[in-house]
């Protein structure tokens, strides 16, 4: 779910949930992990038209699917700075990226903050707690790009393993590790 825009710093709440700053209800992804890590299933990836930020646009006309026939099961790891998606998504992702932007993916970009907001928001569709209850999570350019010496560097890449949804993916969202749900 999306946190309120008035929140400029994070919260650390132990032992319960404080939903007073939430704009949407809590939703649960299915933990499919068989190890000590939380592991989720990415059912689909979309690129959303630039300028959408942390919101997921409800009109599907603004979502560009990354057409890849792959099931991916990354772990959630707040100790990993960047996000790494399964290599099977790469080619389809690059094709969708090229349809939405003139900026090359995977390079250091010399762009302004205004131009940063013109990059697409990545939307991951995670398997929900029930098969008909998937979750859409926005991953805006302010999270997958990192400022570095007057430029922006991608903090998103592809790997041959199952993948890692790192700290930058979880930033800006309340992430509740709830074993019962």
């Amino acid at each position: 779910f999306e946190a309120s825009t008035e929140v400029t710093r994070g919260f650390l709440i132990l032992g319960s949930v404080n939903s007073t700053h939430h704009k949407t209800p809590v939703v649960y992804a299915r933990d499919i992990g068989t190890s000590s890590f939380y592991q989720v299933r990415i059912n689909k990836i979309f690129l959303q038209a630039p300028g959408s930020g942390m919101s997921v646009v409800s009109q599907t006309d603004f979502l560009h699917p990354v057409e890849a026939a792959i099931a991916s099961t990354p772990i959630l790891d707040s100790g990993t700075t960047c996000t790494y998606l399964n290599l099977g998504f790469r080619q389809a992702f690059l094709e969708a990226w090229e349809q939405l932007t003139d900026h090359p993916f995977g390079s250091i970009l010399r762009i302004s903050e205004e131009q940063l907001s013109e990059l697409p928001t990545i939307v991951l569709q995670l398997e929900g707690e029930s098969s008909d209850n998937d979750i859409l999570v926005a991953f805006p350019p302010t999270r997958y790009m990192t400022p570095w010496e007057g430029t922006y560097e991608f903090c998103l890449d592809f790997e041959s393993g199952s993948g890692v949804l790192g700290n930058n993916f979880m930033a800006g969202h309340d992430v509740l590790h709830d074993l019962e749900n």
Side-chain angles (χ1 to χ4, degrees):
F1 55 92
E2 183 180 346
S4 169
T5 56
E6 291 84 34
V7 175
T8 58
R9 293 185 176 39
F11 292 97
L12 174 61
I13 301 166
L14 302 173
S16 67
V17 176
N18 179 348
S19 60
T20 59
H21 61 281
H22 296 166
K23 291 170 65 177
T24 59
V26 175
V27 292
Y28 294 97
R30 179 183 306 280
D31 176 18
I32 60 165
T34 55
S35 68
S36 60
F37 287 100
Y38 286 94
Q39 190 171 14
V40 295
R41 177 171 283 111
I42 298 174
N43 285 336
K44 293 181 183 174
I45 296 178
F46 301 92
L47 294 183
Q48 186 168 281
S52 10
M54 292 294 288
S55 296
V56 176
V57 176
S58 60
Q59 299 92 343
T60 56
D61 294 346
F62 298 105
L63 294 176
H64 300 269
V66 173
E67 300 289 352
I70 181 172
S72 179
T73 56
I75 63 169
L76 290 167
D77 185 10
S78 61
T80 301
T81 304
C82 294
T83 291
Y84 302 91
L85 299 175
N86 183 286
L87 193 58
F89 285 115
R90 188 174 192 282
Q91 185 59 41
F93 182 93
L94 293 177
E95 290 170 10
W97 181 270
E98 288 175 7
Q99 291 177 8
L100 290 177
T101 181
D102 294 330
H103 298 290
F105 181 82
S107 62
I108 295 174
L109 301 179
R110 295 192 184 281
I111 57 176
S112 67
E113 282 190 39
E114 182 179 318
Q115 290 170 309
L116 179 69
S117 68
E118 295 170 359
L119 294 176
T121 293
I122 300 165
V123 178
L124 276 66
Q125 182 176 331
L126 305 179
E127 182 177 310
E129 61 187 326
S130 64
S131 60
D132 61 341
N133 203 16
D134 282 356
I135 300 163
L136 298 177
V137 181
F139 190 24
T142 54
R143 303 288 190 238
Y144 65 79
M145 300 294 293
T146 303
W148 183 70
E149 296 183 5
T151 63
Y152 285 91
E153 185 173 355
F154 281 87
C155 197
L156 171 69
D157 208 349
F158 297 88
E159 67 175 18
S160 59
S162 61
V164 177
L165 300 179
N167 187 48
N168 67 333
F169 175 78
M170 290 183 263
H173 299 282
D174 280 345
V175 178
L176 171 66
H177 300 282
D178 183 343
L179 294 175
E180 295 174 8
N181 292 296

